[in-house]
Amino acid sequence: MDQMARNKAAFARLHDAQSSGDVEAFGKAVDEVVHPDVLIRTPLPIAATGAEALKQVGAMLLHAFPDLHIEVEDVIAEGDKVVLRNTVTGTHRGEYMGVPPTGRSITYREIMIVRFADGRIVETWGIVDVLAQLKQLGLIPS
């Protein structure tokens, strides 16, 4: 298996762990696939940095949306980068960024770019459709 295929497989492992609904399994996948000092180039609603930030965001999402599922639409690998376009679905059953559970289903899209070095993710960029999340949770008019 070439390096690009290994990078795609590593990124898939991370997404599969998140879709498992198991916070501990997601944390283990982060430890295996992500460099501890990963540079996250996307604003996050937490103060943590590096791999710990990814673990906290993953745990927050799985608490709020225990049935969270990531459907991968496209995966493109070139050199040391992998680009992923996906659709995220879930049911709002736990607090999410201060919002109590609404029981509403959400569907939103993301585009993620990750850079690998020595088989681990060392840098990330992400575009998340937060507007769709907020509309579907009833926090802003649709």
Side-chain angles (χ1 to χ4, degrees):
M1 183 181 324
D2 71 5
Q3 189 61 45
M4 285 187 286
R6 281 193 295 277
N7 291 350
K8 285 169 64 173
F11 201 24
R13 170 149 166 49
L14 200 57
H15 273 76
D16 289 347
Q18 180 124 38
S19 286
S20 75
D22 184 337
V23 174
E24 189 174 312
F26 178 69
K28 284 177 128 177
V30 169
D31 287 341
E32 292 171 14
V33 174
V34 179
H35 189 281
D37 297 321
V38 62
L39 296 173
I40 302 170
R41 306 290 189 185
T42 306
L44 296 175
I46 58 171
T49 60
E52 187 57 35
L54 292 180
K55 288 180 188 178
Q56 287 184 22
V57 168
M60 177 180 67
L61 285 170
L62 288 171
H63 171 74
F65 307 99
D67 60 346
L68 186 86
H69 178 72
I70 300 169
E71 183 70 32
V72 175
E73 308 290 343
D74 288 306
V75 181
I76 302 164
E78 181 70 32
D80 62 353
K81 291 189 179 81
V82 175
V83 179
L84 187 79
R85 181 178 67 87
N86 60 50
T87 300
V88 181
T89 56
T91 309
H92 186 210
R93 303 234 183 262
E95 182 181 320
Y96 180 62
M97 295 195 298
V99 178
T102 63
R104 294 180 180 198
S105 294
I106 63 161
T107 300
Y108 63 94
R109 290 175 176 71
E110 300 176 322
I111 296 174
M112 301 298 213
I113 303 170
V114 297
R115 184 174 65 82
F116 282 82
D118 299 321
R120 296 180 89 182
I121 297 170
V122 295
E123 194 167 9
T124 72
W125 300 264
I127 307 287
V128 179
D129 189 353
V130 177
L131 182 61
Q133 287 179 350
L134 298 176
K135 284 181 178 180
Q136 292 171 56
L137 293 174
L139 300 175
I140 60 174
S142 26

